[in-house]
Amino acid sequence: MTGFARTNGNISLGQNNIAWTWEIKSVNGKSLDLKLRLPSGFDDMSVTLKNKASEILNRGSVSAFLELTTENLSKNIKIDEKLLEDLTLQAVALCQKHPEIAMATAGELLSQRGVVEQDENTLNDEDLLTLKEKILADFISTCQKLQYDRQKEGEKIKNALGAILEKISEITLNIEKIFEI
């Protein structure tokens, strides 16, 4: 059966607000064929995700996509002092060599790539495990929603086919009466 399900989740870990969205869609298929698209660093979850999906979904060509966004709440910045000093020396030398060129401002020097960077606050092993557990729980929930969606579609098809068969039966009876078969 075809179907679609989406689940959103989020968690705050350390200095990070992390949000994710699972999107799972399926089309008819004789066996279960699960394709996963995971962010880098989450490939180790593939086997577990496939096993959980096979416990819930019997068959179909299923595509699951995990989108992950992280907002770093840390306002810590790093200034590459060596790069800034090198740029400043080069700017001063350029101005001395060509007096018609205006000296670069501090803002212009700081805006050069690599001079100022936000301090990345990576997750420790415990927080990463917590995140993966939450993501797995939402994956299971999304698979269950997909299975429910597929069952509802199956019921609609069954009812539609039942109505068609009933109509065919009525027409057949009418024909038999007309021709006294």
Side-chain angles (χ1 to χ4, degrees):
M1 297 289 119
T2 61
F4 176 82
R6 174 183 292 153
T7 302
N8 297 309
N10 61 65
I11 190 170
S12 291
L13 295 169
Q15 293 292 317
N16 297 298
N17 281 339
I18 303 167
W20 60 89
T21 299
W22 273 114
E23 286 187 1
I24 305 177
K25 60 182 177 177
S26 71
V27 294
N28 291 336
K30 291 182 181 180
S31 61
L32 180 61
D33 178 27
L34 177 63
K35 294 177 182 74
L36 294 168
R37 284 190 20 207
L38 303 173
S40 119
F42 289 82
D43 292 331
D44 61 329
M45 296 181 69
S46 293
V47 172
T48 302
L49 293 168
K50 287 181 179 186
N51 289 338
K52 292 297 181 184
S54 69
E55 291 173 9
I56 300 167
L57 307 170
N58 300 328
R59 60 189 188 91
S61 179
V62 179
S63 298
F65 172 69
L66 174 62
E67 181 183 359
L68 192 70
T69 57
T70 302
E71 177 188 8
N72 188 335
L73 300 176
S74 171
K75 302 300 179 201
N76 298 332
I77 58 168
K78 292 190 295 186
I79 296 177
D80 186 334
E81 299 284 345
K82 175 71 173 127
L83 179 57
L84 181 58
E85 183 179 333
D86 289 347
L87 288 171
T88 303
L89 291 173
Q90 288 179 10
V92 168
L94 188 62
C95 284
Q96 288 174 347
K97 187 174 182 179
H98 301 283
E100 69 277 6
I101 296 177
M103 176 64 180
T105 66
E108 291 169 335
L109 293 171
L110 289 170
S111 69
Q112 298 304 304
R113 183 180 299 183
V115 175
V116 178
E117 294 181 7
Q118 187 168 355
D119 188 18
E120 288 191 28
N121 188 1
T122 58
L123 297 177
N124 62 39
D125 290 341
E126 183 180 332
D127 285 348
L128 185 58
L129 179 62
T130 300
L131 174 61
K132 287 183 177 183
E133 287 171 352
K134 296 281 189 182
I135 287 172
L136 176 60
D138 278 353
F139 177 76
I140 293 168
S141 172
T142 310
C143 285
Q144 291 167 338
K145 288 177 184 177
L146 176 67
Q147 182 63 12
Y148 178 79
D149 190 47
R150 290 167 56 166
Q151 286 173 341
K152 287 297 177 193
E153 183 196 18
E155 289 172 11
K156 288 178 186 176
I157 292 171
K158 179 184 173 185
N159 292 339
L161 289 175
I164 291 169
L165 290 173
E166 190 175 309
K167 189 69 173 172
I168 290 171
S169 180
E170 288 175 17
I171 292 170
T172 304
L173 284 174
N174 288 338
I175 291 172
E176 287 174 352
K177 285 180 185 177
I178 292 171
F179 293 103
E180 294 183 19
I181 298 178

